[in-house]
Amino acid sequence: MRKQVLTLCFLVSAFCLAAQDRTAEPYATSRVLNQSPAKGLLLDYSQLGGFNYKGPNNSSHVAESDRLELKLRIPVLLKERTKVLLGLQYFQESYEFEEDGLLESNFVLQRLNDRVLKKSRLSLSAGHAINSKYYTAFRLEASYAGDYQGIINMDNRYAIYRATAAFGVKKSERLTYGFGAYYSNSFRRTQILPFAFYNQTFSDKFGLEFTIPVKLKARYNINDRSLLLFGPQYQSQTYSLDVPNEQGDFSIAHFRRQAIDWGATYQYNIDGWTWMQVGMGYLTNFNTRVEDPAAGTAFGMQPGDGAYLKVGLFLSPTRRK
């Protein structure tokens, strides 16, 4: 599998080098005019209202659920044609269940109620402009997701490794599109998936930021300092948990949740690099599962759909073009 990934990256690079055009024209970038600002530092907090968690036979009520995200992107190399960034991310979510029959009998829900679920990620991203029309992007990631103590635990049972390679076309300052491949090797499975992206600014007010098949965001630029993003986005989180049994011993379980986020986010430039954002929307949950890797079994646990509210601050050193 790793040989296939290396081969794919080599083919993309070879194609890009073959297409290279050495001219004095400005070099291509992945951004379009009036695009939403890139985030160098992000602090985001979300809160979900009450909803039910359905088990095999009955349900348990979640009084509230909180999520906290912190992201930092550090420039390693900033050249006219090549940029390299180091990324750090910390994400956590927690659930507060009401005392009921399902909580008393379900050890997975007891664990979710008792511990904070965490994901810490390290990434290295690189973008290279071939000429004024073509560019490439690559990313390597290592993340660790589970109910461990502390900020990060690099034990292999929590590890998720990812690699992404993309080739883009800068048609004009208002249009860029391209394709790529995504590779993931986690404690649950290994997969390779294709993806495509399409970003276009139609006018001074309207634009589209589209990553197939995970995000479709329409953009309305209110003025030079504020904008609105709205549309669906796919969410997925996977964690390795220590789940107790009736004897008090712990076994490993894999917990995965998936949802479609139907939301809108308002972003406002407070001053200079400092931005705030406020978002609200509705989560449609599906295909939430708990897997027992030792026994090779799994069962579904369906959280109810519900509304959320989020607030955040971020720093953006880039211009929206």
Side-chain angles (χ1 to χ4, degrees):
M1 187 63 70
R2 289 181 179 142
K3 290 183 178 179
Q4 293 174 336
V5 175
L6 292 174
T7 302
L8 175 63
C9 294
F10 173 79
L11 291 176
V12 173
S13 302
F15 175 77
C16 295
L17 290 173
Q20 186 166 1
D21 178 16
R22 300 180 182 275
T23 69
E25 298 179 49
Y27 294 116
T29 67
S30 60
R31 298 187 60 79
V32 295
L33 185 68
N34 291 338
Q35 185 173 337
S36 58
K39 299 176 179 65
L41 173 65
L42 168 69
L43 176 62
D44 218 20
Y45 172 78
S46 303
Q47 185 172 75
L48 288 75
F51 57 92
N52 288 331
Y53 238 105
K54 297 179 181 179
N57 300 314
N58 51 9
S59 64
S60 182
H61 187 72
V62 179
E64 65 177 46
S65 177
D66 300 307
R67 294 172 185 173
L68 177 68
E69 182 177 22
L70 176 64
K71 284 184 177 181
L72 176 63
R73 300 173 71 189
I74 304 170
V76 176
L77 177 66
L78 294 178
K79 297 291 187 179
E80 187 177 10
R81 297 177 61 184
T82 305
K83 294 177 176 59
V84 180
L85 299 175
L86 174 66
L88 306 174
Q89 179 193 23
Y90 174 79
F91 174 85
Q92 71 173 45
E93 58 181 305
S94 61
Y95 298 86
E96 183 179 331
F97 287 83
E98 294 181 352
E99 296 293 334
D100 52 34
L102 181 58
L103 180 62
E104 293 178 0
S105 62
N106 191 294
F107 294 112
V108 174
L109 293 189
Q110 290 176 19
R111 193 64 172 177
L112 294 180
N113 188 55
D114 183 54
R115 301 295 289 270
V116 174
L117 306 183
K118 305 172 184 177
K119 181 180 73 174
S120 295
R121 181 172 68 184
L122 310 173
S123 65
L124 189 66
S125 304
H128 178 72
I130 299 168
N131 52 36
S132 62
K133 186 176 181 180
Y134 302 113
Y135 61 91
T136 59
F138 302 92
R139 177 179 293 178
L140 297 175
E141 298 180 6
S143 59
Y144 303 88
D147 59 350
Y148 47 77
Q149 297 280 7
I151 299 297
I152 189 171
N153 187 325
M154 293 187 176
D155 192 296
N156 196 55
R157 61 162 289 192
Y158 302 115
I160 305 172
Y161 302 106
R162 297 185 176 97
T164 306
F167 174 76
V169 179
K170 187 68 172 287
K171 193 71 174 178
S172 69
E173 67 173 2
R174 292 176 174 266
L175 174 62
T176 181
Y177 56 86
F179 62 89
Y182 163 86
Y183 165 80
S184 174
N185 181 7
S186 72
F187 48 80
R188 285 190 61 249
R189 62 181 178 178
T190 299
Q191 61 179 349
I192 296 180
L193 297 173
F195 68 90
F197 58 91
Y198 181 94
N199 298 329
Q200 183 168 7
T201 298
F202 299 103
S203 68
D204 292 339
K205 293 294 185 181
F206 293 99
L208 187 67
E209 301 179 12
F210 193 11
T211 303
I212 306 169
V214 296
K215 181 179 76 170
L216 174 56
K217 293 292 184 182
R219 183 183 73 248
Y220 178 70
N221 297 93
I222 301 171
N223 52 47
D224 291 340
R225 299 183 63 180
S226 61
L227 67 149
L228 182 67
L229 295 168
F230 52 96
Q233 183 168 345
Y234 170 76
Q235 286 188 4
S236 177
Q237 296 289 348
T238 302
Y239 303 97
S240 178
L241 309 180
D242 285 321
V243 178
N245 54 31
E246 295 179 351
Q247 290 73 39
D249 299 324
F250 285 90
S251 60
I252 295 177
H254 297 160
F255 171 71
R256 182 190 67 183
R257 65 167 183 83
Q258 294 176 294
I260 301 296
D261 176 358
W262 307 89
T265 302
Y266 171 74
Q267 297 180 339
Y268 176 75
N269 180 218
I270 299 173
D271 183 58
W273 289 7
T274 307
W275 290 71
M276 64 163 289
Q277 64 179 12
V278 178
M280 59 186 304
Y282 193 82
L283 287 180
T284 303
N285 294 285
F286 67 97
N287 200 24
T288 299
R289 296 174 62 81
V290 177
E291 302 171 351
D292 184 339
T297 59
F299 62 91
M301 290 178 58
Q302 185 60 39
D305 304 333
Y308 70 87
L309 176 68
K310 70 175 181 179
V311 294
L313 290 171
F314 64 91
L315 299 180
S316 178
T318 59
R319 295 169 59 88
R320 288 191 294 113
K321 68 177 183 176

